[in-house]
Amino acid sequence: MNGLPAVTLATGSGAESFMAIDMHAHFLPPELADMLRARQYLPRIEKLSNGAELFHRPFGTTPFDPSYVDIEQRVQLLESLHIETQLLSLPGLIGIDSLPVAESLPMTRTFNDALAGVLRRFPGRFAGLAGLPMANIAEAASELKRCVAEHGFVGAILPVNCFATADEARKLAPIFEVGNADGLHFFVHPGRRPDEVQPGLSRAEVRPAWAGTQPLRALTVQTNVANATVTLLYSDFLDAYPDVSLHVANLGGTYPMIEERIVNLSRVRRPGLPSITESARQIYTDCGSLGPRALRMAVEVFGAQKILLGSDTPTFRIEWALATVRDAKISVGDKALILRENAAGLLRRRER
């Protein structure tokens, strides 16, 4: 597999190989894919006359990748790459969870029940995060309770734009109350709030400035992730939920780059503002879709004990995430924390 036959902490004869845990990965059950094929509006899967399929998502159209639905292929891949456990979640950028509740509830329930079947088929290989109908927070909290009680899920995936401000985050209180009662884990992943959904679109309306400009789109996503990171670190939102853990995707977005500026601004405009508040004790991030330079910076900002391995499979390749950790200029001990130990602690915490 691209020269990466095993997870290693160092090169040479003393390299240590072991199993890793991937905390950022997505799955689209075949049952849910069929529901998307039956839809006329975003998100949807369109079958072409030549048999190929297109995946129409809110941010654009791409060929549909069958690896989203092939769980047997996924198991083989994890075994070949020495991945002990993979935490599976709804593909957040598809936007299923932010649709009106009449649409999102049947689809998120289908996802959750199908994922539960995968967990039963492959015990220990996967862990599950619930998809929730975010347009109705009471229904979302109820679905989360069901998934924990019936399926043993460890938490839920939540759209990053729901944390754009502390006021937006507080709207999620019923979900976090469930999470706090059961010691759940939340994955804050790029995705829209329900009020950002444009109904009745069969194709994404890509803004002219974005057309063919993938770097700008990537920057926009990472800026939204950074907004959520700042909300969680510099507000008192999590104070009421001390037994919740969560991780923010993609190394906290652009936050590591501007953390020093926040500190310097605080010296001028708000003396005494800490670089990272007490809430950071509950917050992790993952290295999904980013490289060794970004990972090194994030280790300096957050500490290796707060970073998880994330592959963002199947959009990106697990081999790339493993290479990111392997090649980062950080200590062997830090690599061990990121590849497995931090995630193992979180999963054991939920079991307790």
Side-chain angles (χ1 to χ4, degrees):
M1 287 287 180
N2 287 348
L4 289 168
V7 181
T8 58
L9 297 182
T11 57
S13 59
E16 179 185 355
S17 299
F18 66 103
M19 304 294 277
I21 298 175
D22 180 5
M23 294 289 279
H24 181 167
H26 304 295
F27 173 56
L28 190 67
E31 301 93 326
L32 181 54
D34 286 341
M35 295 177 78
L36 293 172
R37 292 183 179 100
R39 286 178 58 83
Q40 296 181 347
Y41 304 112
L42 294 175
R44 67 190 184 96
I45 298 173
E46 177 188 10
K47 189 162 188 176
L48 305 178
S49 58
N50 63 1
E53 292 185 313
L54 294 178
F55 205 172
H56 298 286
R57 293 175 279 188
F59 55 89
T61 298
T62 59
F64 179 65
D65 184 351
S67 65
Y68 266 111
V69 301
D70 193 338
I71 200 65
E72 287 81 8
Q73 180 191 65
R74 183 79 62 92
V75 170
Q76 293 176 6
L77 178 62
L78 297 181
E79 290 177 350
S80 71
L81 294 175
H82 299 261
I83 305 296
E84 176 184 346
T85 302
Q86 191 175 64
L87 182 63
L88 294 179
S89 57
L90 186 72
L93 277 175
I94 296 176
I96 290 167
D97 49 356
S98 295
L99 293 172
V101 68
E103 301 174 57
S104 64
L105 184 55
M107 286 195 283
T108 53
R109 281 183 174 168
T110 295
F111 169 82
N112 293 332
D113 292 343
L115 178 56
V118 168
L119 302 189
R120 289 192 294 270
R121 283 181 61 196
F122 303 100
R125 176 62 71 185
F126 298 106
L129 292 173
L132 305 177
M134 300 302 296
N136 186 315
I137 297 301
E139 286 282 6
S142 177
E143 179 64 7
L144 178 57
K145 284 183 181 179
R146 185 184 76 89
C147 289
V148 173
E150 295 183 9
H151 301 325
F153 286 4
V154 301
I157 183 172
L158 301 173
V160 76
N161 289 10
C162 290
F163 298 87
T165 67
D167 287 341
E168 289 292 342
R170 290 186 185 100
K171 296 176 183 178
L172 308 182
I175 295 173
F176 274 78
E177 288 166 4
V178 174
N180 197 60
D182 287 334
L184 300 183
H185 183 76
F186 293 117
F187 181 19
V188 181
H189 184 279
R192 303 171 297 171
R193 295 190 310 272
D195 63 287
E196 296 174 312
V197 173
Q198 293 178 272
L201 297 180
S202 59
R203 285 178 176 266
E205 293 184 347
V206 179
R207 291 181 293 173
W210 279 19
T213 314
Q214 187 63 38
L216 179 59
R217 295 169 67 180
L219 178 61
T220 299
V221 170
Q222 292 302 91
T223 300
N224 291 342
V225 174
N227 285 347
T229 303
V230 168
T231 294
L232 291 166
L233 289 176
Y234 294 97
S235 77
D236 62 357
F237 170 68
L238 287 177
D239 290 354
Y241 314 109
D243 291 328
V244 162
S245 65
L246 73 165
H247 82 273
V248 182
N250 304 350
L251 294 179
T254 56
Y255 175 79
M257 178 64 72
I258 54 89
E259 190 262 350
E260 290 170 308
R261 178 173 173 82
I262 291 174
V263 173
N264 287 329
L265 280 172
S266 74
R267 294 172 179 170
V268 176
R269 300 177 184 175
R270 190 179 169 186
L273 180 70
S275 58
I276 294 180
T277 68
E278 179 65 15
S279 62
R281 70 189 184 280
Q282 299 164 255
I283 300 171
Y284 295 75
T285 186
D286 70 59
C287 64
S289 79
L290 293 158
R293 288 179 299 174
L295 178 57
R296 180 182 179 183
M297 178 177 290
V299 168
E300 292 177 357
V301 172
F302 296 110
Q305 73 277 8
K306 292 295 182 180
I307 300 177
L308 308 167
L309 176 68
S311 67
D312 205 353
T313 303
T315 303
F316 298 92
R317 298 185 59 151
I318 302 175
E319 299 96 318
W320 299 348
L322 297 175
T324 288
V325 181
R326 183 196 63 191
D327 297 340
K329 294 181 180 180
I330 57 178
S331 72
V332 171
D334 286 348
K335 293 178 182 180
L337 289 172
I338 294 166
L339 285 170
R340 186 181 189 282
E341 296 308 314
N342 294 334
L346 285 172
L347 295 179
R348 283 196 300 268
R349 173 182 175 276
R350 169 57 194 150
E351 289 173 1
R352 289 196 298 269

